[in-house]
Amino acid sequence: MGIYEELQARGLIAQVTDEEEIRNLVNNGKATFYIGFDPTADSLHVEHFMALCLMKRLQEAGNKPIALIGGGTGYIGDPSGRTDMRSMMTPEQIQHNCDCFKKQMSRFIDFSEGKALMVNNADWLLDLNYIELLREVGPHFSVNRMLTAECYKQRMEKGLSFLEFNYMIMQSYDFYELFQKYGCNLQFGGDDQWSNMLGGTELIRRKLGKNACAMTITLLLNSEGKKMGKTQSGAVWLDPEKTSPFEFYQYWRNVADADVLKCIRMLTFLPLEEIDKMDSWEGAQLNTAKEILAFELTKLVHGEEEAQKAQNSARALFSQGAAAEMPTTELTVEDLQDGCMDILTMLVKSELVPSKSEARRAVQQGGVTVDGEKITNIHEVFTEEAFRAGLILKKGKKNFRKIVMK
């Protein structure tokens, strides 16, 4: 089985152009391909993680990845999948986020000895002459066709700014530049990027001739990533300062039964033959599958040692034992009132909820436990002595804190 067939078997490929040519390129290690990452935050998250895993798979098969950092497109912001305009970032914020991305990507991609490239589209986009761009690139894009693109549809009701309307042209121009400068002959992206990606392929062929070897493939990365990469409290980050290894592990440990085998197939590097044997698993076996998923993904992002610590803590938590690696909130005597703290204040202090009103709703809806016991009384209080022994506070299925006294 070639790498193309493996991507198909793992459920990653959604749409392609020129399928036979793409199959031959990647199976023979002849693809120089790129995936873009817009620096909208100072950490990569699960949606990016899935793209990085794809790049790792293809690089191991002999292909050359280009990690394109959107230092230039970050000034515009991708409207795909959004109903409102992204906040404008300063040049300093964009550069800081780009620097953070570079460090995290190196855990997945081997950039040594010309095996991969990391480039920033600010290098060519920020110096573009606007009139020249309109003359050289503008004639190759139909406004009528652009308005039918999926990436713009959700914005049409509230209003699509002219700034964002240019995003497709900028992303298409990226592929054109990468093709000419680095011989990039293939682009990958999520299924909500299809229109933008087709724009790049068509731009190359119109400017350089139909025989120009530029091809496109889209994956089920973004739609699946956006669904799997969000929790009740926000995104699942790859930065351990934002999402601890324990929280990362616990998120995957708590995926739905219906999703666990799909996640293992799409995201882990376990052999397909081993995964196929899990297809008949059910009941308690699915809990084992969830542990496998959580461990493998935590190992990929944070290393085997942290993955083992997270697994040990999760098992200890499940058995109501000590969970040393669990995220911890430390209280002081000054935080207590008459030597006690009520459950609503504790939820806010632990940062599991942003406000007491949300804490009240969580308790009233039955989503809060302390040491495994469901809390239904919004006036429940806990003593200094209990905190010194250590309490395990849980909100929902995936959010935990150990509460202790300093």
Side-chain angles (χ1 to χ4, degrees):
M1 179 186 294
I3 185 62
Y4 185 84
E5 289 75 22
E6 180 178 345
L7 296 180
Q8 286 182 311
R10 290 184 181 273
L12 288 168
I13 297 179
Q15 300 180 78
V16 299
T17 64
D18 312 280
E19 182 172 35
E20 282 308 308
E21 289 86 348
I22 292 173
R23 185 195 308 274
N24 290 333
L25 273 179
V26 299
N27 282 350
N28 292 301
K30 301 297 184 181
T32 298
F33 67 96
Y34 96 90
I35 299 180
F37 302 82
D38 270 359
T40 54
D42 59 1
S43 172
L44 297 163
H45 50 73
V46 166
E47 184 181 333
H48 299 124
F49 164 55
M50 298 194 327
L52 290 168
C53 287
L54 169 71
M55 298 177 86
K56 181 178 174 68
R57 293 183 203 279
L58 288 165
Q59 186 180 50
E60 290 178 351
N63 299 285
K64 184 176 181 178
I66 299 176
L68 177 66
I69 306 296
T73 43
Y75 281 83
I76 299 175
D78 185 0
S80 300
R82 295 186 64 87
T83 58
D84 57 354
M85 185 172 171
R86 294 182 186 273
S87 299
M88 298 286 283
M89 294 188 295
T90 66
E92 293 75 20
Q93 287 174 314
I94 292 173
Q95 185 58 54
H96 172 71
N97 294 350
C98 288
D99 293 341
C100 293
F101 277 22
K102 288 180 181 179
K103 182 178 179 181
Q104 292 176 346
M105 284 181 180
S106 297
R107 293 184 60 89
F108 295 82
I109 303 169
D110 181 3
F111 289 101
S112 66
E113 301 175 5
K115 293 180 180 178
L117 291 172
M118 183 178 293
V119 297
N120 189 328
N121 63 13
D123 293 343
W124 54 84
L125 291 181
L126 296 188
D127 292 331
L128 280 176
N129 178 293
Y130 186 60
I131 299 298
E132 182 182 355
L133 177 69
L134 289 178
R135 287 177 56 86
E136 295 297 319
V137 179
H140 301 291
F141 288 84
S142 162
V143 171
N144 289 351
R145 185 173 178 184
M146 290 172 70
L147 288 173
T148 65
E150 195 64 37
C151 59
Y152 292 144
K153 283 183 179 179
Q154 293 185 33
R155 293 301 313 280
M156 295 304 291
E157 288 187 10
K158 288 192 175 183
L160 178 71
S161 72
F162 182 70
L163 176 70
E164 295 168 290
F165 190 60
N166 282 270
Y167 191 90
M168 180 185 293
I169 296 175
M170 296 296 97
Q171 182 170 329
S172 299
Y173 191 81
D174 283 344
F175 195 18
Y176 175 73
E177 281 287 317
L178 293 172
F179 179 86
Q180 295 205 103
K181 286 187 175 181
Y182 306 108
C184 180
N185 50 23
L186 186 58
Q187 60 178 330
F188 285 75
D191 58 353
D192 63 349
Q193 294 291 311
W194 183 242
S195 298
N196 293 342
M197 295 166 67
L198 283 180
T201 297
E202 292 174 2
L203 176 63
I204 291 172
R205 292 179 177 177
R206 286 173 181 172
K207 286 189 68 64
L208 303 178
K210 292 184 178 180
N211 293 327
C213 180
M215 291 169 282
T216 299
I217 187 168
T218 73
L219 309 171
L220 292 172
L221 290 176
N222 283 3
S223 60
E224 294 294 334
K226 286 171 181 173
K227 181 176 73 173
M228 294 189 290
K230 300 288 185 181
T231 68
Q232 295 174 350
S233 57
V236 177
W237 304 99
L238 306 194
D239 183 345
E241 296 299 318
K242 288 178 172 286
T243 299
S244 71
F246 174 83
E247 290 172 308
F248 189 85
Y249 177 97
Q250 199 64 19
Y251 172 76
W252 295 108
R253 175 63 180 81
N254 286 291
V255 298
D257 289 355
D259 291 333
V260 59
L261 293 180
K262 178 170 64 176
C263 291
I264 289 176
R265 194 175 297 276
M266 292 178 69
L267 304 178
T268 75
F269 284 76
L270 296 175
L272 284 169
E273 296 82 1
E274 184 177 336
I275 299 171
D276 289 340
K277 294 176 183 178
M278 301 180 191
D279 284 339
S280 60
W281 286 12
E282 56 186 21
Q285 288 177 306
L286 290 178
N287 287 327
T288 301
K290 291 177 185 181
E291 283 200 338
I292 292 171
L293 172 68
F295 182 84
E296 291 295 324
L297 299 191
T298 307
K299 181 173 69 172
L300 271 173
V301 176
H302 299 295
E304 187 164 2
E305 182 179 353
E306 289 297 330
Q308 193 62 61
K309 288 179 182 178
Q311 186 169 77
N312 291 342
S313 290
R315 288 174 175 174
L317 172 64
F318 184 75
S319 62
Q320 295 307 309
E325 300 302 322
M326 189 186 306
T328 299
T329 297
E330 294 185 334
L331 302 178
T332 65
V333 174
E334 288 75 21
D335 291 320
L336 306 181
Q337 185 173 359
D338 297 328
C340 298
M341 180 178 288
D342 64 84
I343 185 64
L344 302 187
T345 303
M346 186 160 66
L347 283 163
V348 174
K349 283 282 187 183
S350 67
E351 299 183 343
L352 291 178
V353 296
S355 66
K356 284 195 175 182
S357 60
E358 188 167 330
R360 184 180 294 106
R361 281 194 296 272
V363 172
Q364 291 172 338
Q365 293 169 2
V368 176
T369 66
V370 174
D371 286 346
E373 296 291 329
K374 183 179 291 188
I375 305 299
T376 58
N377 179 7
I378 62 172
H379 302 294
E380 188 87 23
V381 296
F382 299 86
T383 65
E384 179 181 346
E385 182 180 358
F387 292 127
R388 292 200 180 279
L391 296 177
I392 296 174
L393 176 63
K394 176 181 175 185
K395 173 185 169 286
K397 293 182 177 180
K398 309 177 183 100
N399 300 295
F400 302 83
R401 288 293 187 277
K402 188 173 184 180
I403 314 296
V404 299
M405 293 292 294
K406 281 187 177 180

